[in-house]
Amino acid sequence: MLTIKASVKPSKIHGIGLFADEDIKKGTLIWKFDPRFDLLFEPKEVSLMPQIQKDFIVHYAYLSKATNKYVLSIDNGRFLNHSTNNNIDEIDIPEPEGGSIANRDIKAGEELNVDYRAFDANDAVSDEEYLKR
């Protein structure tokens, strides 16, 4: 679940993205797994879903390197875009999915982005072009 104020807006990176609604200091916790707002799905469960549901999971969830489960945030955290010049880093905390912190000061209005390869098992081994930006 997001732990900062943010909103969804058009993105220069891809489609729509998540933008800071407040100044965020380096080291601030941005996201932390919360079972009330973050859903876990076994890959087998996803494979048995109707195609429209599978497509939604593949687009908005990530396959966790830590648990090998799909993680779907039901808050706006699912709109974080990928960047190799990311301003959010993944950290290891005693939660099933870790968390994310600001790796530098972030200004209100700035797009929040992460390097998907740090936590997504599929993206970690992918050579998709969008992962190089």
Side-chain angles (χ1 to χ4, degrees):
M1 174 175 188
L2 290 170
T3 60
I4 47 88
K5 293 179 183 175
S7 55
V8 176
K9 298 177 185 175
S11 168
K12 291 181 181 175
I13 295 173
H14 175 77
I16 56 175
L18 189 66
F19 291 78
D21 285 344
E22 61 187 340
D23 289 342
I24 301 168
K25 294 283 186 198
K26 179 179 180 177
T28 299
L29 185 68
I30 302 291
W31 182 89
K32 178 180 156 182
F33 182 83
D34 184 329
R36 297 170 300 176
F37 286 85
D38 302 300
L39 307 174
L40 296 175
F41 297 92
E42 294 286 344
K44 174 90 170 148
E45 178 183 7
V46 172
S47 73
L48 299 173
M49 291 178 175
Q51 191 62 48
I52 195 164
Q53 292 174 349
K54 279 190 234 181
D55 292 345
F56 186 84
I57 296 291
V58 168
H59 187 78
Y60 288 109
Y62 65 89
L63 183 60
S64 171
K65 288 167 104 176
T67 62
N68 198 40
K69 294 180 182 177
Y70 284 97
V71 180
L72 175 66
S73 292
I74 64 170
D75 67 2
N76 287 337
R78 70 182 185 268
F79 295 108
L80 281 166
N81 280 322
H82 167 81
S83 176
T84 56
N85 189 26
N86 51 300
N87 53 18
I88 299 174
D89 285 335
E90 190 72 11
I91 59 168
D92 187 26
I93 57 176
E95 297 291 331
E97 289 305 321
S100 301
I101 61 167
N103 63 22
R104 61 174 175 75
D105 289 346
I106 300 170
K107 292 287 190 191
E110 189 176 341
E111 184 168 2
L112 303 169
N113 48 66
V114 296
D115 185 341
Y116 290 168
R117 299 169 297 180
F119 55 87
D120 187 308
N122 290 328
D123 285 337
V125 297
S126 175
D127 62 353
E128 290 287 337
E129 190 61 34
Y130 74 90
L131 294 169
K132 298 173 186 172
R133 295 180 256 160

